Structures are given as C-alpha cells and as structure tokens.
C-alpha cells in the first residue's frame, strides 16, 4: 500500500524491466505487490504489460470516465483493449509501467480508482444494474455500494485496515427480485428485508468459487437496519482478517473460517465486533419475491421516471476496443444523461434515454453490428473470462472460442428460451461456470491421435436466482473441436431445443 500511499510507484515506474528483474524485491513489487494497486503484470504472455482493474461500485460509470479509459488503451495498439468483468467492472489492458503514475492521476481526475482491486482485498461491490431506474426495484442499491467502496478504500486514499485479508472477498447488495447481483456467490450478501416496520437486510455469508471448492453463501441468521450496512461489513471483515487461516491459499477464503468456527461461532465473532456488541436475528419479512421470473434487460424498457427508458446492449464476451468505448460515451451523451451501467453478464445499459429518442438510438450503426439490443437467444447469456490470450493461468483461449462455438451451436439447433453459457480458462473459474446452465472449464485433453489438445470440462445445471444451485460435471476432457455437437445434444436433451433442418443442397 505504501507504493500508492507514499508515492513509491513514482520511483518504481522510472526503472527499466531489466533493472526490476535483476532485483528480487522489485520483481515481487511488479508481479505481486502491484496487484494491491489494481495492476496485474502479464509476465507469461505480455512481458512488461499490465492489466489494470478499476473499482466501479454498482457498475455505474460516466461518459467522461469511459472516454478517459479509451484514451489510455488507444496508445497501446493491438495490446490495448478493455473488458467488462463479471463484477460489473472495467479492466483495461496493455498498460506499461512508466505510464502508471500519470494514469493514476488521470483516474483520480475523472473520479475513478484502481486501488485495492486485486489480491487479498475486497473486490468491486456489486448491485442492481438498473438501480434507481427500475420500476420494480426493492431498494436503490447505489448509495450502499458507493458507501461500501468508500469505506473499504478510505475514499480512494488507501485503507490498510482492510488490505491484508487472508484472501480476496466479494460483497453485493441486492435490490431487485431478479437477483441480478448473484448473492449466493458472494462472501457477504445484503438481502433486503423488513423487521418490525424498519427496512434493512438479512445477511448471507461465505459464497465463493475456487479451483478446489465451490460453495453457495449461507444465512448468518442476522438482520441489520439499513444504517448498519457499513458497521456490519466492517465487523465481518475484521473477523475474517483476524481469525482467517493464512496458510494454504486454497483454504483461505472466508467459508473455511465459517466451517472452522461453525455458523453460530462465526456469528458470535461478528456480533462482538459490532459497535453495539449486538446483532439482531434474521427477519422473516424477506422482500425478495422468490416466484419472480428473471427479466431480460436487453432492448428498450421504461424507467420508473416518466418519459425515460433504458436500453440494454449486448457486449460480446465483454471485450471492447477504444473506438467502441468512445462510441458508447457519445451515445450516452447524445441520447441519455452521460451515464452507462455495466452488468455481471459483461453487458452494458444506457439509462435515462428520453422515450421519444429511443427509435433514433436504435437506428445508430453501432447498435446494428456487435453491440445489438436484440442479441440472439444463446448470445444473450454468454460469458467468458480473459482466457489464454492475456492470462497466464488460463489453459485455453476463451473469448473468441466462446463466440465461435455458440455460432456453430446456433446453426445446429433452435432454442426456445435463453440458456446461460459461461466459459472459464482454468479451474480458478473467473468465468463462474458453476452458476451457468452450461459451463466450460478449460483443460488439456487427448485428441484422436492421442496428442494433447485444448479441451473443456463441461458443467450442466447451474442456476441463479432464488432457487440458485451449483452445476455439476456433465463430461470431462472434451476436445474443443467436439464441443458444438455435444452442446447441441445437451440443449435438445435438457433445454427443449430442436435440431435445425438442413437444406439438402447445403454442403
């Protein structure tokens, strides 16, 4: 944290990569410690280049921020691009160390920070992507996610209190019946509930994915009034920080501590760290409608504000170039209020569009190509992690392959309803394959000739929403060249798809 708080990054940025690699301490600085500043060195695939992850609470961003990020990546040519992440966040790529001090200043000038977005820190707080504009929302999540982010980073100045956790930690605030926020895969999820005429939140704890274990969050049997969102977060983080295991990193997520103490033991540790020393029991007045059918946010939808609409755009596997970001910023300014929203499915929403302007927006060339408000039924739910193009841990390439396999499958079968397909390049499961209807986890397997080829373990049956459920392995080690027919078969068998009739003269 001193690299940021005491400006050590200025000195580090003046050194060449040769100097840095010649000294163990600075080599660790760029490969490990810079992750506390949101900088990830891509040593294996892009030596000297960094991915930079931001903090974007609730996925809310502005046209000015988007233009600034576009200006940063544009100078890096083919290496410069941006991704929308599965935590409603931006990641930019191609960054080189000498530019970092200037970029950090630039981020601050547009109200952004990358601080504490990697390693053993609290990740981007997730909320309802249509918070404040959703006619059916339970509560506007933006004030809570903003407060959480400010609390955790000490208003972007750096907060050593919460920067040395045993492992990374995820938090979300639920504001919609749709559970767009995926509460069951967070270490802490705030679930809206009333109690004795007061509004507040029931709490779920311990949800996580890792290479060795995946668990859904479980009830803490606790409720806090809305005013206690921050004290409760602080109490949970302090319990995890002070008591969590710090050995084998495969066993250091918060659920391992909950296992060790038991849920009542963990609750007691949280309770004694509350300012009042007390924690109320869970409320039975849960405000989430469990029978709710999850809504589709693509296309044009009326907002709660009369005369305004929001438009959901598909962003294929979350990847954008600088020109794409500039164009999004222009559309947000021209048709909306200069605001954009990111979603955990790696898509983008333009809010606050005057309903009278929606048709003109739909005619924009940008929406006619990749960034469609009406994506095909299988493209809608497609999510993919970074993959081997940039990530040294990924075993297979994911983003382009996800698009290619999905296109092949769409030629084979017709699907009656959206099916969520997630791709992840390795067992760390950044692509969250276990919550997908169909998930693909990269692996190496044997081809027909017995040689090693890129493959995937295929998962089926993951669900999100009130009946959330983690998917299970359907078939292991499928060569990527064999995936399309297998997926078509699964869609017919499990999801009511119908084989498409081939034209006789089609080759």
């Amino acid at each position: 944290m001193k690299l940021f708080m005491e400006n050590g990054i200025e000195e580090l940025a003046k050194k060449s990569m040769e100097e840095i690699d010649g000294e163990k301490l600075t080599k660790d600085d760029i490969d490990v410690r810079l992750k506390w500043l949101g900088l990830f060195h891509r040593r294996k695939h892009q030596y000297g280049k960094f991915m930079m992850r931001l903090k974007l609470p609730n996925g809310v961003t502005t046209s000015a921020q988007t233009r600034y990020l576009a200006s940063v990546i544009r100078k890096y040519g083919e290496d410069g691009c941006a991704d929308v992440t599965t935590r409603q966040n931006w990641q930019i790529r191609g960054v080189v160390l000498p530019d970092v001090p200037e970029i950090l200043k630039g981020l601050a000038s547009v109200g952004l920070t990358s601080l504490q977005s990697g390693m053993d820190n609290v990740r981007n707080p997730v909320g309802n992507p249509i918070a404040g504009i959703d006619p059916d929302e339970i509560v506007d999540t933006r004030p809570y996610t903003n407060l959480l982010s400010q609390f955790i980073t000490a208003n972007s100045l750096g907060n050593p209190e919460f920067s040395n956790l045993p492992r990374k930690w995820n938090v979300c605030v639920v504001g919609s019946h749709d559970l767009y926020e995926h509460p069951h895969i967070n270490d802490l999820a705030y679930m809206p509930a009333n109690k004795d005429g007061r509004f507040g939140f029931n709490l779920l704890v311990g949800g996580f994915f890792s290479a060795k274990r995946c668990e859904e969050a479980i009830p803490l049997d606790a409720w806090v009034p809305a005013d206690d969102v921050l004290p409760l977060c602080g109490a949970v983080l302090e319990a995890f920080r002070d008591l969590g295991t710090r050995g084998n990193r495969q066993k250091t997520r918060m659920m391992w501590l909950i296992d060790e103490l038991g849920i009542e033991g963990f609750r007691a540790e949280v309770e004694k760290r509350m300012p009042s020393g007390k924690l109320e029991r869970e409320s039975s007045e849960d405000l989430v409608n469990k029978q709710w059918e999850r809504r589709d946010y693509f296309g044009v939808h009326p907002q709660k504000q009369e005369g305004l609409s929001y438009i959901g755009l598909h962003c294929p596997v979350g990847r954008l170039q600088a020109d794409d970001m500039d164009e999004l910023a222009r559309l947000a300014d021209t048709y909306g209020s200069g605001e954009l929203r990111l979603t955990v499915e790696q898509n983008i929403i333009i809010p606050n569009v005057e309903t009278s302007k929606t048709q003109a927006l739909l005619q924009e060339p940008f929406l006619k190509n990749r960034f469609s408000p009406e994506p095909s039924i299988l493209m809608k739910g497609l999510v993919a992690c970074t993959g081997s193009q940039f990530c040294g841990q990924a075993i297979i390439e994911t983003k382009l392959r996800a698009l290619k396999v999905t296109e092949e499958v769409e030629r084979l079968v017709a699907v009656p309803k959206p099916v969520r397909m997630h791709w992840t390049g390795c067992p760390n499961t950044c692509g969250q394959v276990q919550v997908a209807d169909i998930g693909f986890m990269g692996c190496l397997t044997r081809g027909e000739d017995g040689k090693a080829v890129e493959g995937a373990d295929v998962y089926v049956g993951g669900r999100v929403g009130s009946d959330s459920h983690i998917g299970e392995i359907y078939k292991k080690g499928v060569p990527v060249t064999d995936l399309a027919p297998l997926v078509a078969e699964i869609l017919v068998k499990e999801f009511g798809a119908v084989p498409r009739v081939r034209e006789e003269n089609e080759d």
Side-chain angles (χ1 to χ4, degrees):
M1 292 298 284
K2 285 182 179 178
L3 281 168
F4 178 82
M5 297 173 76
E6 298 175 14
N7 244 351
I9 188 68
E10 297 269 358
E11 293 309 306
L12 192 62
K14 289 173 187 167
K15 296 189 174 190
S16 68
M17 289 299 292
E18 289 72 28
E19 280 181 274
I20 286 167
D21 275 354
E23 187 185 330
K24 183 182 185 312
L25 188 63
T26 50
K27 185 170 184 277
D28 279 348
D29 273 340
I30 69 155
D31 284 359
V32 181
R33 284 188 279 274
L34 279 184
K35 292 177 183 177
W36 269 260
L37 276 67
L39 285 158
F40 298 74
H41 185 211
R42 291 306 177 220
R43 179 174 287 273
K44 187 172 173 184
H45 292 307
Q46 288 199 303
Y47 181 72
K49 303 283 176 68
F50 290 78
M51 177 269 280
M52 189 174 210
R53 181 185 294 147
L54 303 181
K55 278 270 203 251
L56 206 70
N58 219 108
V60 178
T61 189
T62 66
S63 55
Q65 291 169 343
T66 307
R67 279 196 189 89
Y68 176 69
L69 296 175
S71 75
V72 172
I73 60 175
R74 180 170 278 110
K75 68 169 99 165
Y76 301 125
E78 285 184 10
D79 293 331
C81 61
D83 288 327
V84 180
T85 78
T86 53
R87 292 204 69 78
Q88 290 184 311
N89 204 356
W90 286 121
Q91 289 181 171
I92 58 173
R93 300 184 185 281
V95 172
V96 294
L97 197 56
D99 294 347
V100 166
E102 203 52 45
I103 293 171
L104 289 171
K105 287 175 193 152
L107 290 175
S109 74
V110 292
L112 287 174
T113 185
S114 62
L115 195 60
Q116 289 172 255
S117 62
M119 280 303 279
D120 305 332
N121 283 284
V122 179
R123 300 305 165 84
N124 196 49
V126 165
N128 179 9
I130 46 175
I133 60 175
D134 175 5
D136 294 305
E137 78 180 349
I138 306 165
V139 62
D140 185 346
T141 56
R142 293 171 302 174
Y144 301 106
T145 50
N146 281 327
L147 279 171
L148 285 165
S149 205
Q150 289 159 8
F151 170 63
I152 286 149
T153 63
N155 294 317
S156 304
L157 296 174
N159 187 354
E161 287 285 303
F162 299 128
S163 62
N164 185 19
L165 303 174
R167 201 73 159 80
K168 67 179 180 182
W169 193 87
N170 292 322
V171 61
C172 75
V173 183
V174 167
S176 81
H177 302 287
D178 308 87
L179 303 189
Y180 292 131
E181 309 83 357
H182 295 190
H184 298 92
I185 60 174
N186 280 264
D187 293 277
L188 175 61
Y190 292 87
M191 307 294 291
N194 286 335
K195 191 170 190 183
D196 305 328
R198 297 170 294 159
F199 173 73
F201 298 92
N202 285 331
L203 304 160
L204 299 178
V205 290
F208 81 107
F209 292 152
S210 75
K212 298 290 182 200
R213 181 183 176 193
C214 300
E215 291 291 344
E216 288 191 83
I218 58 174
L220 184 63
D221 188 15
W223 176 91
V224 290
D227 289 347
D228 278 354
V229 161
L230 289 190
L232 182 280
C233 180
V236 174
L237 281 172
E238 284 172 22
F240 179 43
R241 180 195 68 197
D242 299 347
L243 304 171
T245 310
R246 291 178 182 269
N248 176 355
R249 284 182 70 79
Q250 292 296 341
K251 295 186 175 182
T252 51
R253 292 294 296 272
M254 195 171 79
M255 186 59 105
W256 292 94
L257 174 63
I258 294 169
D259 286 348
E260 185 187 323
L261 299 176
I263 191 66
E264 270 301 312
F266 180 74
R267 187 188 186 282
E269 292 292 346
V270 172
E271 184 167 47
K272 72 185 185 190
R273 287 168 172 79
M274 291 291 287
S276 64
K278 291 192 171 64
L279 196 52
E280 294 188 47
R281 291 286 170 179
E282 187 172 88
S283 166
S284 58
E285 298 174 65
D286 183 358
L287 294 174
V288 175
N289 177 352
K290 290 183 169 58
Q291 268 59 60
W292 189 267
E293 191 155 333
R294 188 181 169 95
R295 293 168 295 169
D296 193 338
Y297 51 69
F298 291 110
V300 180
H301 301 270
Q303 293 183 190
K304 62 161 63 170
Q305 295 82 6
E306 199 170 334
L308 295 179
S309 297
Y310 66 87
I311 288 88
L313 305 181
H314 183 234
C315 179
V317 291
R319 174 61 52 83
L320 298 100
Q321 307 301 322
D323 288 351
D324 300 329
M325 296 174 81
D326 276 341
E327 188 63 3
L328 276 169
R330 181 187 74 79
L331 296 176
D333 284 339
T334 305
Y335 296 96
S337 57
E339 187 178 285
L340 294 162
R341 307 282 185 92
L342 311 187
T343 79
V344 297
E345 293 89 10
Q346 303 178 311
N347 295 308
I348 293 174
I349 292 167
I350 303 177
N352 306 319
V353 177
E354 286 180 32
T355 304
S356 58
K357 291 182 177 177
T358 54
Q359 283 311 307
L361 173 54
L362 293 174
Q363 294 311 309
E364 284 277 354
F366 188 73
L367 274 62
K368 299 291 187 189
N369 301 316
R370 286 171 55 228
F371 297 88
S372 170
E374 296 177 351
S376 68
I377 204 158
L378 286 181
M379 287 294 180
K380 275 182 181 182
L382 194 60
V383 167
C385 78
T386 300
S388 61
Q389 181 186 2
F390 293 118
C391 178
Q393 292 181 308
I395 300 163
I396 67 167
E397 195 282 319
T398 53
K399 287 198 181 282
L400 289 173
R401 182 165 283 123
L403 293 167
K404 183 170 177 283
V405 169
T406 304
E407 285 165 1
E408 284 179 39
V409 171
E410 286 180 330
R411 288 194 287 271
L412 296 173
V413 292
V415 185
K417 60 183 182 186
V419 176
R420 295 171 306 103
M421 298 199 292
H422 288 211
W423 287 71
T424 197
C426 79
N428 288 320
T429 197
C430 297
Q432 303 172 343
V433 296
Q434 291 87 349
V435 294
D437 293 315
I438 306 175
F440 309 90
M441 182 182 287
C443 67
L444 288 177
T445 188
R446 298 269 172 218
E448 283 179 14
D449 59 2
K451 290 182 180 168
V453 295
E454 289 193 1
D457 293 337
V458 180
Y459 288 73
V460 173
R463 287 200 297 272
V464 292
S466 291
D467 62 343
S468 69
H469 178 75
I470 287 176
E472 294 176 357
I473 284 274
Y474 180 86
K475 193 169 184 182
K476 282 195 151 199
V478 182
V480 290
T481 49
D482 297 344
L483 282 173
L486 177 69
V487 175
E489 179 189 305
I490 293 168
L491 288 169
V492 170
K493 201 190 293 185
E494 307 280 344
F495 297 95
V498 187
R500 290 191 189 275
V501 178
R502 298 297 224 176
E503 296 290 337
E504 279 179 28
N505 60 356
E506 194 173 289
D507 47 44

